[in-house]
């Protein structure tokens, strides 16, 4: 399974999906019991959290230019990520090669299949969930996105079969120093997607306030599309 995960990481990275992190489903479920993932009837179950840094932008925009069907979709980035991940999962874990049973859950899915990928990032030890509600990676800071959680019919590595949580990613800094005034101004508990689109520069300021990972900040077009979904950002 370790070699298959490494092969999946290599294949996805070629398409810009350069973060693949194993975790225990049971560790995730302990953090988000109301949004539990299936355990495949195992006491310890492997999941893979898949995401991306700014590395996604160039492969995605190239695909958008070259594949007319993406240009007709309401959410071409979500489709690009889901199709890429599904293709590579089937290639590596599908029934054609004896297979491993798996189920993929996508970031934008509505209930009842919605999972909390930020909590999965915490359970995986991938990132710290800050008071800003941004996940902070120790290298990339807030400059990454989460795309899917894949549950496999296999044991989680390194937990002795117990489903225990890994060591958590520590807080990278004191959020009260730079972020808290912006958090207070935005009143994050009241935000909606429409509000984010309308006031996206305020939300960007919150991301920019984090001192971690600034060298990995998204480019201008990627930032604008991330917050607004404006199509001209895909060809600028």
């Amino acid at each position: 399974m370790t070699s298959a995960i490494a092969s999946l990481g290599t294949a996805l990275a070629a398409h810009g999906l350069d973060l693949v992190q194993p975790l225990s489903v049971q560790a995730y479920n302990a953090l988000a019991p109301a949004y539990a993932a299936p355990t495949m009837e195992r006491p310890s179950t492997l999941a893979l959290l898949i995401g991306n840094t700014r590395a996604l932008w160039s492969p995605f925009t190239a695909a958008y230019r070259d594949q007319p069907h993406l240009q007709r979709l309401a959410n071409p980035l979500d489709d690009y990520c889901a199709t890429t991940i599904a293709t590579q999962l089937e290639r590596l874990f599908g029934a054609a090669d004896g297979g491993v049973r798996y189920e993929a859950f996508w970031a934008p899915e509505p209930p009842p299949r919605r999972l909390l990928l930020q909590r999965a990032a915490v359970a995986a030890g991938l990132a710290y969930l800050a008071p800003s509600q941004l996940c902070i990676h120790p290298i990339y800071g807030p400059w990454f996105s989460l795309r899917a959680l894949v549950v496999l019919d296999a044991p989680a590595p390194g937990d002795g079969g117990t489903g225990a949580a890994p060591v958590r990613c520590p807080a990278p800094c004191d959020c009260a120093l730079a972020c808290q005034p912006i958090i207070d101004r935005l009143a994050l508990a009241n935000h909606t997607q429409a509000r984010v689109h309308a006031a996206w520069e305020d939300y960007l300021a919150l991301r920019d306030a984090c001192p971690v990972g600034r060298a990995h900040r998204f480019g201008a077009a990627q930032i604008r599309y991330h917050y607004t979904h404006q199509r001209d950002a895909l060809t600028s």
Side-chain angles (χ1 to χ4, degrees):
M1 184 57 69
T2 300
S3 62
I5 294 171
S7 295
L8 178 65
T10 299
L12 291 177
H15 298 276
L17 293 154
D18 56 340
L19 296 176
V20 177
Q21 181 76 16
L23 69 147
S24 159
V25 170
Q26 285 76 10
Y28 161 76
N29 286 349
L31 293 180
Y35 296 88
T39 62
M40 302 289 186
E41 297 80 47
R42 287 179 172 271
S44 169
T45 312
L46 172 65
L48 301 175
L49 182 61
I50 299 173
N52 65 273
T53 66
R54 65 182 182 186
L56 178 65
W57 193 244
S58 181
F60 165 60
T61 53
Y64 182 82
R65 290 192 300 269
D66 296 341
Q67 299 177 28
H69 83 278
L70 286 176
Q71 300 167 22
R72 295 190 293 268
L73 296 174
N75 294 292
L77 180 56
D78 290 343
D79 183 86
Y80 171 84
C81 292
T83 299
T84 300
I85 293 167
T87 298
Q88 298 305 325
L89 288 173
E90 185 60 26
R91 183 178 69 84
L92 288 164
F93 301 114
D97 295 320
V100 175
R101 186 166 56 125
Y102 66 85
E103 187 171 3
F105 298 84
W106 314 111
E109 288 203 72
R113 285 178 50 82
R114 177 176 295 163
L115 301 182
L116 304 183
L117 299 196
Q118 289 183 312
R119 296 300 191 279
V122 173
L126 180 70
Y128 169 75
L129 184 58
S132 62
Q133 299 306 301
L134 293 171
C135 278
I136 310 300
H137 187 279
I139 296 173
Y140 302 113
W143 300 105
F144 73 103
S145 299
L146 300 170
R147 301 296 175 186
L149 184 75
V150 181
V151 177
L152 295 104
D153 190 3
D159 67 5
T162 65
V167 175
R168 300 284 174 82
C169 186
C173 61
D174 184 353
C175 296
L177 296 177
C179 300
Q180 194 61 50
I182 304 175
I183 293 170
D184 294 341
R185 187 173 77 245
L186 288 175
L188 291 176
N190 300 321
H191 87 271
T192 63
Q193 193 62 54
R195 184 183 173 201
V196 172
H197 286 180
W200 68 272
E201 290 171 311
D202 291 332
Y203 287 87
L204 173 61
L206 181 59
R207 217 178 205 101
D208 276 333
C210 182
V212 184
R214 284 176 175 164
H216 302 279
R217 189 178 190 264
F218 293 171
Q222 187 173 6
I223 286 172
R224 187 155 60 87
Y225 186 76
H226 177 86
Y227 283 105
T228 70
H229 292 176
Q230 293 173 359
R231 287 301 179 97
D232 63 322
L234 300 179
T235 54
S236 61

